[in-house]
Amino acid sequence: MTEKFEPRITAQKQAVLKSFQGQTLTDAQTDIAMNLASIINRHIHKTGSFREPLTDYAHAFARSEKFDAMKGETIIRDVFAAQFGRTMNATREALMVREQNLPESTPELALQSARKTLEAISTGETEAFYKAYDREGAALARSLSITENAAKVLMSVNYHAVEGRELYATGKELEEKYHRPRMDELRKSRKSTHSRSVVRA
């Protein structure tokens, strides 16, 4: 006996299906629109803007459907509001308001995030500056409810204020000293392993 596959409908999807535009969409269109709304939500939390991504994704969505880009944008906006409980602009504005009203602990939190970034580059498995910086910036942004770009600025400014050095320059120096040698070693090891497997074949 084969079981019928019943996709689980989340609370977010239920809200979308009840929305004005959501009631007109097929199941596939609903899923695509929700995924696009999630991508745009991520853009907003990263950069604090949504205009360009919305335009680009609305055009891409419309190209595969029987409606124009303007309709695609309207659908994505409506789905976004239903999915996340507020409009794109309201989401953006909430982040901007938080950036203007940061708690007193912000400088210390930003400095800690900057130091965690440098520690990740120089200890353990090590990693590239851009990855450590991005991860710690995202974590700080979540804790303060601000954009990731703003969090990274806070990290750089507060690190410079205390250490008298640029976070980027310090991170790149550590990357050259610790991470690059490790990656070079891994590449050599990989080439050696690949060469042995080719010879055996």
Side-chain angles (χ1 to χ4, degrees):
M1 186 175 102
T2 58
E3 289 185 16
K4 186 178 178 184
F5 173 67
E6 293 284 351
R8 188 170 66 87
I9 298 181
T10 63
Q12 279 190 335
K13 189 165 184 177
Q14 285 178 340
V16 169
L17 292 172
K18 291 175 184 175
S19 69
F20 181 76
Q21 293 294 336
Q23 292 179 52
T24 69
L25 302 176
T26 66
D27 190 59
Q29 287 172 335
T30 301
D31 287 344
I32 291 167
M34 287 183 69
N35 282 317
L36 293 176
S38 292
I39 292 169
I40 292 168
N41 185 53
R42 188 69 179 81
H43 273 281
I44 295 170
H45 281 83
K46 182 172 192 262
T47 67
S49 66
F50 61 86
R51 183 67 260 173
E52 285 187 18
L54 175 58
T55 299
D56 292 343
Y57 290 122
H59 275 86
F61 188 23
R63 275 198 300 272
S64 64
E65 303 295 339
K66 294 180 179 177
F67 46 73
D68 61 20
M70 188 72 74
K71 176 70 171 176
E73 183 173 317
T74 300
I75 291 169
I76 296 170
R77 281 181 181 275
D78 195 54
V79 166
F80 185 103
Q83 188 172 347
F84 296 105
R86 57 185 171 188
T87 65
M88 294 175 194
N89 199 48
T91 303
R92 183 191 67 80
E93 286 179 348
L95 294 167
M96 298 300 108
V97 167
R98 285 288 294 172
E99 286 174 22
Q100 300 303 315
N101 297 280
L102 294 168
E104 288 182 14
S105 60
T106 298
E108 182 56 33
L109 292 172
L111 182 60
Q112 287 175 14
S113 294
R115 288 181 170 152
K116 284 180 186 174
T117 298
L118 300 179
E119 187 179 326
I121 299 166
S122 58
T123 60
E125 293 293 303
T126 79
E127 61 185 328
F129 172 75
Y130 79 91
K131 285 192 72 176
Y133 187 42
D134 189 71
R135 183 187 60 254
E136 294 303 329
L140 180 62
R142 284 192 298 273
S143 71
L144 295 173
S145 297
I146 61 175
T147 66
E148 290 168 33
N149 284 2
K152 288 177 180 178
V153 169
L154 287 169
M155 288 164 63
S156 296
V157 167
N158 285 284
Y159 181 80
H160 186 270
V162 172
E163 302 293 344
R165 302 194 65 205
E166 296 295 332
L167 178 60
Y168 177 82
T170 305
K172 295 305 281 185
E173 283 175 19
L174 291 174
E175 186 180 287
E176 284 297 315
K177 185 176 180 180
Y178 296 101
H179 183 63
R180 187 176 293 280
R182 179 174 170 271
M183 293 309 294
D184 289 344
E185 194 59 42
L186 286 173
R187 271 191 283 273
K188 284 179 189 174
S189 175
R190 192 173 176 185
K191 276 185 182 177
S192 175
T193 304
H194 178 71
S195 297
R196 285 198 298 271
S197 65
V198 168
V199 168
R200 288 196 199 100

